[in-house]
Amino acid sequence: MKSIGMIGGGAWGTAIGKILAEKGHQVQIWAYEQELVDSINTRQENNLYLPGVSLPANLTADRDIRAVAQDKDFVIFSTPSLYLLPAVRQIVTVPNIAEGHTPLGVLTKGFVHTQRGPRLILETMEDYLPGFYKGNLVYISGPSHAEEVARGKLTGLISASQNPKNSIRFRELLNSETLMVFSSLDVIGVQISAAVKNVVAIAFGIMDAMKEFSGTVGDNTESLLLAAGLNEIQTIARAMGSTHPETFTSIAGVGDLDVTCRSIHGRNRRFGREIVLKHILEPFSSIDDLLSNLQELGYLPEGAVAVANVKELAERLNLKLPISSGVFRILNKENTPMDEARGILASLTGARLDFHVDFP
Ligand SMILES: NC(=O)C1=CN([C@@H]2O[C@H](COP(=O)(O)OP(=O)(O)OC[C@H]3O[C@@H](n4cnc5c(N)ncnc54)[C@H](OP(=O)(O)O)[C@@H]3O)[C@@H](O)[C@H]2O)C=CC1
Ligand SMILES: O=C(CO)COP(=O)(O)O
């Protein structure tokens, strides 16, 4: 039996915490909201982010982040990208972390925006953590909606680390009857795939909403977008130093892209659909305004956070990324979803497109 601290009580941290608790480990989740702590500890349910899933009694929650990280055999970060660094900063001086005794894993998908611009999650964490952690952090990703993992749907994940021993440690920790975990050394490729697929899924959601009202956009068109999205992920990942081309054909690459674009659980897809069907960008004047008021959406599409970082990286690395650029312009109110969708499809096909969609 191991003791495990989960830093983040959203849907994903809770689902993975449940898997670990069901394997007999003692799991403590750091949750930001007191209501959530009470719900997990007294009703064995995450009422805010994973309602309807009954949690084991050996999974508990606490608001004290340092207590959750203290004296644990493993600590796993599961906050959204925006809250990751503040969480890391709070636990660096916890003795077992300060001394490098506790292996650290990360479930967050996205980039961290620093004064030096957008950076990958693990490299940023390494800057704040004691030197023992350099090259030893583990990044866990793959096609895995929490709603399904928590209900025992068969799922595959990738555990990536520069240190193969550590990726195997997390693989063995997480492997269960329904969760199959595979190792990878390509920490850059896996992190970029996880972050950028969320941006592609926003474009996919926009296209998906248009499909319902258009004679031009169909399932085939969506697959065109998906394939181009994978290409865009590869382009940026290679430029950033991805080491293994097979990452993109693995569950961390095309697998996660597919589920994020197509699943009804997908929040990035939902965000894209609601841009078209519910005009949810109307209250926001720009992407900065949106990001400052993200809580108004009521759910967190990581792709909205990631796209500004992707734009900056594309400019720095001189990359042409038509899907990400189009999503950025939509969120920044520089262009309409309709014009951008036409532009993206035209750039992918080389065709001259003048279709119009009449929304209800
Ligand atoms: N949901 C999924 O299926 C999957 C999600 N992921 C990734 O996991 C990460 C977490 O997502 P998910 O669990 O879905 O998140 P949710 O949207 O379910 O939960 C939101 C989380 O944000 C926390 N939060 C809100 N405001 C703050 C704040 N000011 N400071 C600190 N924390 C705050 C909440 O805290 P509190 O703990 O108090 O509720 C909660 O943990 C994301 O990067 C996501 O892309 C990866 C794979 C699957
Ligand atoms: O990363 C995920 C699935 O693997 C979750 O995607 P969404 O945030 O779009 O729901």
Side-chain angles (χ1 to χ4, degrees):
M1 198 265 290
K2 302 284 183 201
S3 61
I4 296 150
M6 301 292 310
I7 306 296
W12 194 211
T14 306
I16 289 295
K18 177 175 183 275
I19 294 271
L20 294 168
E22 283 169 348
K23 287 181 71 178
H25 301 304
Q26 192 61 45
V27 180
Q28 198 178 21
I29 292 186
W30 170 64
Y32 178 74
E33 289 144 285
Q34 185 62 45
E35 178 191 345
L36 186 49
V37 171
D38 295 341
S39 171
I40 293 175
N41 289 344
T42 58
R43 293 189 297 282
Q44 268 80 52
E45 187 193 18
N46 182 332
N47 64 329
L48 296 181
Y49 300 110
L50 204 56
V53 173
S54 168
L55 303 172
N58 54 335
L59 186 156
T60 58
D62 200 306
R63 278 199 79 194
D64 181 347
I65 188 169
R66 289 175 59 83
V68 170
Q70 186 139 354
D71 295 331
K72 294 297 189 291
D73 296 314
F74 291 88
V75 166
I76 303 178
F77 291 85
S78 48
T79 68
S81 59
L82 284 172
Y83 312 123
L84 183 67
L85 267 198
V88 173
R89 282 200 201 101
Q90 288 183 74
I91 61 143
V92 280
T93 53
V94 169
N96 46 303
I97 308 262
E99 288 155 21
H101 295 320
T102 301
L104 302 179
V106 185
L107 297 168
T108 304
K109 292 180 176 175
F111 296 95
V112 179
H113 200 274
T114 69
Q115 285 182 335
R116 290 159 62 186
R119 300 193 66 213
L120 294 176
I121 284 174
L122 295 196
E123 63 180 13
T124 319
M125 286 178 68
E126 283 176 354
D127 286 350
Y128 287 86
L129 288 162
F132 322 101
Y133 286 106
K134 196 159 176 50
N136 280 310
L137 297 174
V138 179
Y139 191 75
I140 301 142
S141 185
S144 51
H145 279 109
E147 295 84 346
E148 296 201 346
V149 172
R151 291 180 173 84
K153 305 272 186 206
L154 217 54
T155 299
L157 287 178
I158 299 271
S159 164
S161 178
Q162 280 172 260
N163 180 342
K165 278 193 191 146
N166 279 357
S167 76
I168 291 167
R169 279 168 105 173
F170 275 86
R171 189 179 81 193
E172 287 171 354
L173 180 75
L174 291 164
N175 252 329
S176 78
E177 278 175 20
T178 55
L179 191 60
M180 267 61 61
V181 187
F182 306 90
S183 293
S184 164
L185 291 168
D186 188 8
V187 280
I188 296 178
V190 174
Q191 287 181 89
I192 293 283
S193 298
V196 182
K197 60 89 186 172
N198 286 331
V199 177
V200 178
I202 294 176
F204 195 97
I206 289 170
M207 217 63 91
D208 199 59
M210 291 185 176
K211 189 174 79 173
E212 293 171 26
F213 306 98
S214 156
T216 308
V217 181
D219 293 348
N220 300 344
T221 326
E222 285 187 339
S223 287
L224 204 64
L225 181 72
L226 199 132
L230 185 61
N231 199 34
E232 206 154 302
I233 289 169
Q234 288 189 63
T235 302
I236 186 162
R238 284 208 189 105
M240 301 268 302
S242 164
T243 48
H244 291 61
E246 59 269 30
T247 297
F248 310 108
T249 49
S250 77
I251 49 175
V254 69
D256 205 1
L257 176 66
D258 177 60
V259 88
T260 309
C261 287
R262 294 190 191 277
S263 168
I264 50 156
H265 302 298
R267 287 163 301 179
N268 289 288
R269 171 183 192 269
R270 172 183 167 188
F271 179 59
R273 284 178 56 82
E274 290 184 349
I275 287 173
V276 173
L277 300 175
K278 293 192 175 173
H279 309 286
I280 51 164
L281 290 181
E282 228 162 58
F284 309 106
S285 57
S286 65
I287 189 160
D288 288 341
D289 188 26
L290 169 69
L291 295 180
S292 307
N293 298 289
L294 214 48
Q295 71 287 351
E296 285 178 20
L297 293 179
Y299 61 97
L300 205 158
E302 280 278 18
V305 186
V307 72
N309 293 299
V310 174
K311 179 181 186 277
E312 227 178 298
L313 287 170
E315 282 166 3
R316 190 198 295 166
L317 298 163
N318 203 14
L319 304 174
K320 213 171 150 233
L321 306 174
I323 300 172
S324 303
S325 311
V327 171
F328 181 88
R329 282 190 295 269
I330 293 169
L331 302 199
N332 204 31
K333 296 297 192 66
E334 292 172 35
N335 205 352
T336 63
M338 172 62 72
D339 281 346
E340 281 302 335
R342 258 196 306 257
I344 289 171
L345 291 177
S347 81
L348 301 185
T349 57
R352 268 197 62 236
L353 297 169
D354 55 4
F355 69 89
H356 183 77
V357 179
D358 285 317
F359 298 113

